[in-house]
Amino acid sequence: MNESIRNRALTGTALALAVSTVLTACGGDDSSSSSSSDTKAEGTTSATPTAAVKDPLVATFDGGLYILDGTDLKLTKTLQLPGFNRVNPAGDEDHVVVSTDTGFRVLDATGQALTGIEYKGAKPGHVVRHAGKTVLFTDGTGEVNVFDPADLSSGKKPEGRTYASAEAHHGVAIELSNGELLSTLGTEEKRTGALVLDKNNKEIARYEKCPGVHGEAAAKNEAVAVGCEDGILIYKDGEFTKIDAPDDYGRIGNQAGSDLSPVLLGDYKTDAEAELERPTRVSLVDTEKKKLRLVDLGTSYSFRSLGRGPAGEALVLGTDGTIRVIDPASGRIEKKIPAVGEWQEPLDWQQPRPTLFVRGNTAYVSDPSEKALHAIDLRTGKKSASVTLPESTNELSGVVAGH
C-alpha cells in the first residue's frame, strides 16, 4: 500500500475514532445479537448462553463485526464496535485479535463475545503467528507483545514477553522457535531494516539497508523475511541475506508464507510516485536458492489478495474476480478459480474491497459490492456456500489453530 495514502487515511479517520472512543467510554452498547432484539452491555451475562459456533469466521463492517459459521456461512452473531477495526487469527481454535481504536482486543469467536483481554496502545498494527507464539506490534508506541495463544482460554491476559522499540513506527515482529525475536527498525518518518534479539532481549544481529521495511512471512525451515522497497530481507540460521529486486524501486510490502514451501509469495510495485499503483506482477522468493522471480498475472490485485493453499500453493485474488493458483516452484499459473465479479482497488486502503482468507482447503472471499461472502473448495474450484449479509464487509479472518 502507498504509505502516503495510508498516513492520510489514518489522519482522516482520527476524529471519527476519537468520537467512537468517547461513545465507548460513556457506556455505549458494545455488542448485540443478530438473532435477538435484546441488547446487553458488554461484560453482562445473558440468561440464555450463546451457543458456540464451529470454525468461526469474523468479518468487519462499518461499526461492527459479523461472526459466521465456517461451514455454511450462517450469520450467528453481530457485535457493535465503533471505529475502523481489523481482524487476525489469534493462533488457537477459538480466538481472533481485533485491532481497534484503543488497541488490540481479543474476541472469543467461538463463544461469540469480546473478552476483557486488551493490549492498549495507539495504532495497533501487525499480528503475527509463528512457532506457537503470537506477536503484536503497536505502531503508536513501538511496543511488542508476545504470548502463547493457548493461554487465552483462561480468560485472563496472558503473561508474555515484551520489547520496546527504540522509536515508534509502523513495524512488525516475529518470534522464532529458538526464542529469537526479529523486529523492524524505524521511526514515524523512515523505516530502515530489522534487528534480532536473543531470548533475553539482547541484540545479536542487525541489518539497516532495507528501506521502507514492511510486512513479514515465514517459509519452510524457518526462513523469515521482511519486505523492502528494493527487494526482500531474509533471516535464517542467524544471518541476514538481502535479495535485490530487478528494479531500482521494486517494493515487496506484503507477503504470504507456508511451512511446506521454501518460496514466499509477495506483491511487487515499481512506481514510487504513484498515488496508488495497481500492480499486475507478484514476486516469488526462493529462500533456499536466494532468488526472486516475477510472475505476470494479467490482472491487478490488492494487499488483501494474497494467500497460501494447503499444499503451499500460492493464491492471488485478481481484480478480474478469479483466484489464480500458482506453483511456487515453477511460477506457473496452474488454475483460475472464479470467485467474484470484476472489481477495482479503492484509493483509500481502509475502504472495502474483495478479500481473500484461506483456511485448509477452503478459500473464503468477500464481495462488498454485493454484500456477499463465499466459501470455495480449492480442490474442486466450486463454491460450497454463500451468504448475503446486512452490510458490506471489509476485513475477513477467522480462527486458525497452529502455526
Side-chain angles (χ1 to χ4, degrees):
M1 103 191 51
N2 183 288
E3 288 300 320
S4 64
I5 291 293
R6 179 183 185 277
N7 291 334
R8 287 202 299 273
L10 289 173
T11 301
T13 56
L15 288 176
L17 294 181
V19 171
S20 67
T21 301
V22 171
L23 290 174
T24 302
C26 291
D29 222 6
D30 213 32
S31 65
S32 66
S33 171
S34 62
S35 57
S36 171
S37 60
D38 297 331
T39 57
K40 297 171 285 296
E42 183 182 327
T44 60
T45 303
S46 171
T48 305
T50 303
V53 59
K54 183 176 176 58
D55 298 326
L57 297 175
V58 180
T60 70
F61 64 93
D62 186 11
L65 309 171
Y66 290 133
I67 300 178
L68 306 100
D69 184 281
T71 301
D72 60 15
L73 300 186
K74 178 183 178 182
L75 176 58
T76 62
K77 189 84 168 184
T78 300
L79 301 178
Q80 303 300 324
L81 188 63
F84 175 71
N85 303 302
R86 311 196 70 187
V87 285
N88 284 279
D92 68 352
E93 296 179 347
D94 299 312
H95 296 89
V96 166
V97 176
V98 185
S99 302
T100 74
D101 54 308
T102 60
F104 294 103
R105 298 185 65 179
V106 176
L107 169 70
D108 181 352
T110 300
Q112 305 179 73
L114 283 162
T115 71
I117 302 172
E118 182 175 11
Y119 293 82
K120 293 185 177 182
K123 301 178 183 178
H126 285 264
V127 179
V128 176
R129 300 169 296 111
H130 180 71
K133 295 293 177 64
T134 300
V135 184
L136 313 177
F137 194 104
T138 302
D139 293 350
T141 63
E143 183 178 51
V144 176
N145 284 279
V146 184
F147 62 86
D148 184 338
D151 294 338
L152 294 173
S153 60
S154 69
K156 298 180 180 180
K157 188 175 181 178
E159 294 184 6
R161 177 182 189 173
T162 61
Y163 166 68
S165 304
E167 294 192 55
H169 64 282
H170 179 48
V172 66
I174 179 172
E175 186 174 279
L176 281 65
S177 58
N178 62 2
E180 292 179 354
L181 181 73
L182 183 149
S183 191
T184 52
L185 292 163
T187 67
E188 290 187 2
E189 292 76 32
K190 186 178 181 180
R191 303 192 303 274
T192 57
L195 56 74
V196 179
L197 309 170
D198 67 13
K199 60 183 179 181
N200 298 313
N201 280 6
K202 179 182 178 182
E203 184 177 326
I204 57 174
R206 176 183 286 247
Y207 191 97
E208 296 189 69
K209 294 182 180 180
C210 178
V213 60
H214 186 271
E216 59 68 43
K220 186 178 181 181
N221 296 323
E222 207 168 35
V224 176
V226 291
C228 314
E229 291 178 347
D230 58 359
I232 196 164
L233 181 63
I234 298 172
Y235 180 76
K236 184 180 179 184
D237 297 331
E239 293 183 350
F240 279 111
T241 302
K242 175 74 173 296
I243 300 178
D244 293 329
D247 300 277
D248 291 338
Y249 181 88
R251 183 178 189 267
I252 301 174
N254 301 278
Q255 309 92 37
S258 168
D259 291 340
L260 300 177
S261 172
V263 179
L264 297 172
L265 168 67
D267 56 2
Y268 192 74
K269 295 185 175 183
T270 57
D271 187 352
E273 304 302 321
E275 184 178 14
L276 174 66
E277 182 177 352
R278 295 185 170 95
T280 59
R281 294 182 294 174
V282 293
S283 57
L284 294 175
V285 179
D286 191 319
T287 60
E288 292 181 347
K289 298 178 180 178
K290 306 297 191 295
K291 291 184 178 180
L292 187 156
R293 177 203 304 267
L294 298 176
V295 177
D296 197 324
L297 304 177
T299 185
S300 62
Y301 58 94
S302 89
F303 71 98
R304 292 184 184 147
S305 292
L306 308 181
R308 301 302 290 262
E313 58 269 48
L315 307 173
V316 185
L317 173 64
T319 55
D320 62 353
T322 66
I323 299 172
R324 281 160 176 75
V325 181
I326 305 169
D327 179 351
S330 67
R332 185 171 66 91
I333 298 174
E334 297 185 317
K335 185 164 53 174
K336 295 181 182 179
I337 301 174
V340 295
E342 292 186 11
W343 55 282
Q344 185 179 57
E345 182 178 9
L347 287 174
D348 182 347
W349 74 273
Q350 291 188 348
Q351 291 303 305
R353 82 286 310 279
T355 296
L356 173 69
F357 172 66
V358 183
R359 187 170 60 190
N361 289 304
T362 304
Y364 299 95
V365 181
S366 64
D367 188 352
S369 67
E370 301 293 332
K371 300 182 180 179
L373 179 63
H374 307 286
I376 301 172
D377 189 323
L378 290 169
R379 294 165 295 190
T380 65
K382 304 295 183 182
K383 291 178 181 176
S384 57
S386 294
V387 66
T388 301
L389 297 165
E391 303 288 343
S392 295
T393 61
N394 197 337
E395 294 219 347
L396 177 64
S397 191
V399 301
V400 178
H403 296 55

PDB file of all heavy atoms in Angstrom, residues 312-325:
ATOM      1  N   GLY A 312       0.821 -25.539   0.069  1.00  0.00           N
ATOM      2  CA  GLY A 312       1.817 -24.489  -0.116  1.00  0.00           C
ATOM      3  C   GLY A 312       1.653 -23.710  -1.407  1.00  0.00           C
ATOM      4  O   GLY A 312       2.452 -22.816  -1.699  1.00  0.00           O
ATOM      5  N   GLU A 313       0.625 -24.036  -2.207  1.00  0.00           N
ATOM      6  CA  GLU A 313       0.424 -23.318  -3.459  1.00  0.00           C
ATOM      7  C   GLU A 313       0.158 -21.840  -3.181  1.00  0.00           C
ATOM      8  O   GLU A 313      -0.408 -21.472  -2.162  1.00  0.00           O
ATOM      9  CB  GLU A 313      -0.721 -23.934  -4.266  1.00  0.00           C
ATOM     10  CG  GLU A 313      -2.062 -23.978  -3.569  1.00  0.00           C
ATOM     11  CD  GLU A 313      -2.326 -25.256  -2.791  1.00  0.00           C
ATOM     12  OE1 GLU A 313      -1.438 -25.664  -2.030  1.00  0.00           O
ATOM     13  OE2 GLU A 313      -3.425 -25.810  -2.944  1.00  0.00           O
ATOM     14  N   ALA A 314       0.595 -20.994  -4.112  1.00  0.00           N
ATOM     15  CA  ALA A 314       0.414 -19.554  -3.981  1.00  0.00           C
ATOM     16  C   ALA A 314      -0.934 -19.165  -4.580  1.00  0.00           C
ATOM     17  O   ALA A 314      -1.274 -19.586  -5.689  1.00  0.00           O
ATOM     18  CB  ALA A 314       1.553 -18.809  -4.677  1.00  0.00           C
ATOM     19  N   LEU A 315      -1.693 -18.351  -3.856  1.00  0.00           N
ATOM     20  CA  LEU A 315      -3.021 -17.951  -4.283  1.00  0.00           C
ATOM     21  C   LEU A 315      -3.111 -16.433  -4.359  1.00  0.00           C
ATOM     22  O   LEU A 315      -2.676 -15.737  -3.444  1.00  0.00           O
ATOM     23  CB  LEU A 315      -4.079 -18.470  -3.307  1.00  0.00           C
ATOM     24  CG  LEU A 315      -4.064 -19.976  -2.997  1.00  0.00           C
ATOM     25  CD1 LEU A 315      -5.049 -20.298  -1.890  1.00  0.00           C
ATOM     26  CD2 LEU A 315      -4.376 -20.779  -4.254  1.00  0.00           C
ATOM     27  N   VAL A 316      -3.684 -15.922  -5.458  1.00  0.00           N
ATOM     28  CA  VAL A 316      -3.859 -14.488  -5.625  1.00  0.00           C
ATOM     29  C   VAL A 316      -5.252 -14.209  -6.174  1.00  0.00           C
ATOM     30  O   VAL A 316      -5.628 -14.744  -7.218  1.00  0.00           O
ATOM     31  CB  VAL A 316      -2.809 -13.876  -6.578  1.00  0.00           C
ATOM     32  CG1 VAL A 316      -2.969 -12.352  -6.629  1.00  0.00           C
ATOM     33  CG2 VAL A 316      -1.400 -14.244  -6.160  1.00  0.00           C
ATOM     34  N   LEU A 317      -6.007 -13.375  -5.459  1.00  0.00           N
ATOM     35  CA  LEU A 317      -7.327 -12.966  -5.918  1.00  0.00           C
ATOM     36  C   LEU A 317      -7.178 -11.725  -6.790  1.00  0.00           C
ATOM     37  O   LEU A 317      -6.803 -10.657  -6.315  1.00  0.00           O
ATOM     38  CB  LEU A 317      -8.228 -12.658  -4.716  1.00  0.00           C
ATOM     39  CG  LEU A 317      -9.598 -12.056  -5.039  1.00  0.00           C
ATOM     40  CD1 LEU A 317     -10.449 -13.045  -5.834  1.00  0.00           C
ATOM     41  CD2 LEU A 317     -10.309 -11.635  -3.757  1.00  0.00           C
ATOM     42  N   GLY A 318      -7.456 -11.858  -8.080  1.00  0.00           N
ATOM     43  CA  GLY A 318      -7.285 -10.760  -9.018  1.00  0.00           C
ATOM     44  C   GLY A 318      -8.505  -9.875  -9.127  1.00  0.00           C
ATOM     45  O   GLY A 318      -9.622 -10.258  -8.746  1.00  0.00           O
ATOM     46  N   THR A 319      -8.312  -8.669  -9.682  1.00  0.00           N
ATOM     47  CA  THR A 319      -9.429  -7.761  -9.874  1.00  0.00           C
ATOM     48  C   THR A 319     -10.355  -8.202 -11.006  1.00  0.00           C
ATOM     49  O   THR A 319     -11.409  -7.609 -11.216  1.00  0.00           O
ATOM     50  CB  THR A 319      -8.925  -6.328 -10.153  1.00  0.00           C
ATOM     51  OG1 THR A 319      -8.034  -6.350 -11.269  1.00  0.00           O
ATOM     52  CG2 THR A 319      -8.207  -5.755  -8.948  1.00  0.00           C
ATOM     53  N   ASP A 320      -9.971  -9.239 -11.712  1.00  0.00           N
ATOM     54  CA  ASP A 320     -10.884  -9.834 -12.697  1.00  0.00           C
ATOM     55  C   ASP A 320     -11.849 -10.814 -12.028  1.00  0.00           C
ATOM     56  O   ASP A 320     -12.683 -11.425 -12.698  1.00  0.00           O
ATOM     57  CB  ASP A 320     -10.107 -10.531 -13.809  1.00  0.00           C
ATOM     58  CG  ASP A 320      -9.252 -11.691 -13.315  1.00  0.00           C
ATOM     59  OD1 ASP A 320      -9.154 -11.889 -12.075  1.00  0.00           O
ATOM     60  OD2 ASP A 320      -8.661 -12.398 -14.157  1.00  0.00           O
ATOM     61  N   GLY A 321     -11.723 -10.965 -10.704  1.00  0.00           N
ATOM     62  CA  GLY A 321     -12.652 -11.785  -9.948  1.00  0.00           C
ATOM     63  C   GLY A 321     -12.268 -13.239  -9.782  1.00  0.00           C
ATOM     64  O   GLY A 321     -13.027 -14.020  -9.203  1.00  0.00           O
ATOM     65  N   THR A 322     -11.091 -13.646 -10.277  1.00  0.00           N
ATOM     66  CA  THR A 322     -10.678 -15.043 -10.173  1.00  0.00           C
ATOM     67  C   THR A 322      -9.487 -15.211  -9.239  1.00  0.00           C
ATOM     68  O   THR A 322      -8.678 -14.292  -9.064  1.00  0.00           O
ATOM     69  CB  THR A 322     -10.307 -15.630 -11.547  1.00  0.00           C
ATOM     70  OG1 THR A 322      -9.132 -14.969 -12.029  1.00  0.00           O
ATOM     71  CG2 THR A 322     -11.436 -15.438 -12.540  1.00  0.00           C
ATOM     72  N   ILE A 323      -9.400 -16.388  -8.644  1.00  0.00           N
ATOM     73  CA  ILE A 323      -8.246 -16.763  -7.823  1.00  0.00           C
ATOM     74  C   ILE A 323      -7.277 -17.527  -8.712  1.00  0.00           C
ATOM     75  O   ILE A 323      -7.636 -18.558  -9.303  1.00  0.00           O
ATOM     76  CB  ILE A 323      -8.665 -17.658  -6.645  1.00  0.00           C
ATOM     77  CG1 ILE A 323      -9.649 -16.933  -5.724  1.00  0.00           C
ATOM     78  CG2 ILE A 323      -7.433 -18.105  -5.851  1.00  0.00           C
ATOM     79  CD1 ILE A 323     -10.250 -17.827  -4.654  1.00  0.00           C
ATOM     80  N   ARG A 324      -6.069 -17.031  -8.818  1.00  0.00           N
ATOM     81  CA  ARG A 324      -5.032 -17.751  -9.554  1.00  0.00           C
ATOM     82  C   ARG A 324      -4.272 -18.660  -8.605  1.00  0.00           C
ATOM     83  O   ARG A 324      -3.822 -18.205  -7.549  1.00  0.00           O
ATOM     84  CB  ARG A 324      -4.089 -16.765 -10.245  1.00  0.00           C
ATOM     85  CG  ARG A 324      -4.683 -16.194 -11.524  1.00  0.00           C
ATOM     86  CD  ARG A 324      -4.024 -14.910 -11.934  1.00  0.00           C
ATOM     87  NE  ARG A 324      -4.563 -14.442 -13.232  1.00  0.00           N
ATOM     88  CZ  ARG A 324      -5.765 -13.875 -13.377  1.00  0.00           C
ATOM     89  NH1 ARG A 324      -6.535 -13.700 -12.323  1.00  0.00           N
ATOM     90  NH2 ARG A 324      -6.177 -13.478 -14.575  1.00  0.00           N
ATOM     91  N   VAL A 325      -4.139 -19.914  -8.990  1.00  0.00           N
ATOM     92  CA  VAL A 325      -3.381 -20.897  -8.217  1.00  0.00           C
ATOM     93  C   VAL A 325      -2.032 -21.067  -8.899  1.00  0.00           C
ATOM     94  O   VAL A 325      -1.951 -21.501 -10.054  1.00  0.00           O
ATOM     95  CB  VAL A 325      -4.127 -22.242  -8.149  1.00  0.00           C
ATOM     96  CG1 VAL A 325      -3.338 -23.241  -7.315  1.00  0.00           C
ATOM     97  CG2 VAL A 325      -5.535 -22.049  -7.588  1.00  0.00           C
TER      98      VAL A 325
END
